[in-house]
Amino acid sequence: MFPTLEVGEDIALIRASVQSTGDGASIALAALDGSMDGSIATNIPANSGMYKDAYQRIVLLYNTPGESIVPVFQVANFGEWELSVYLDNLEVFLIPRDTNISSNLLYGEDRVTPIPTIPSPVNTPTPSPTPAVSTGTKND
């Protein structure tokens, strides 16, 4: 879980680059309503194998009923081997309602700056020297 972010009336776009060193990782990007009323948005790709040995973008749009969100990154290892998961370049953007969102903003490079109320993420080497999550096997 990351710190609570004030979003006001805007829609939050959260994106990150993710890579795993093995199969069997269930990787989720989520956002909770900051009031913790039970509202949640999630992106849990059905094919987590696409993250094996290659960075892929994971994106989440959340139109929260409140005025704040709590971004969440979650990993579970359902495989039979140890694996590491790397999370890099986590970005949060605020998009005013009734604004067209380009696919370039969702998945490609862009010229939009993350919201200024969030400290800029520390640029992390790709791959990161330290995994975001390391897990044992499902039997551990």
Side-chain angles (χ1 to χ4, degrees):
M1 294 180 76
F2 295 94
T4 300
L5 306 173
E6 295 299 321
V7 298
E9 298 281 322
D10 295 333
I11 296 170
L13 184 148
I14 305 169
R15 65 184 193 177
S17 298
V18 178
Q19 176 177 322
S20 69
T21 59
D23 291 321
S26 174
I27 298 168
L29 185 61
L32 308 171
D33 179 62
S35 67
M36 299 303 213
D37 71 349
S39 176
I40 185 171
T42 59
N43 182 352
I44 307 170
N47 178 10
S48 63
M50 69 185 196
Y51 298 109
K52 183 178 178 188
D53 299 325
Y55 272 92
Q56 300 291 330
R57 177 92 66 178
I58 187 169
V59 178
L60 176 70
L61 280 171
Y62 185 34
N63 186 0
T64 179
E67 294 187 357
S68 62
I69 63 167
V70 179
V72 177
F73 179 68
Q74 180 180 23
V75 175
N77 183 4
F78 294 104
E80 296 183 19
W81 300 275
E82 275 191 33
L83 61 88
S84 295
V85 174
Y86 298 90
L87 173 73
D88 284 307
N89 304 320
L90 177 70
E91 300 171 298
V92 177
F93 299 87
L94 294 183
I95 314 252
R97 293 176 195 261
D98 302 322
T99 299
N100 290 326
I101 301 170
S102 74
S103 60
N104 197 36
L105 177 60
L106 295 174
Y107 299 105
E109 296 303 318
D110 56 78
R111 302 285 185 243
V112 177
T113 304
I115 58 176
T117 57
I118 303 170
S120 297
V122 175
N123 288 333
T124 306
T126 305
S128 308
T130 306
V133 177
S134 289
T135 67
T137 66
K138 66 180 180 182
N139 297 323
D140 287 348

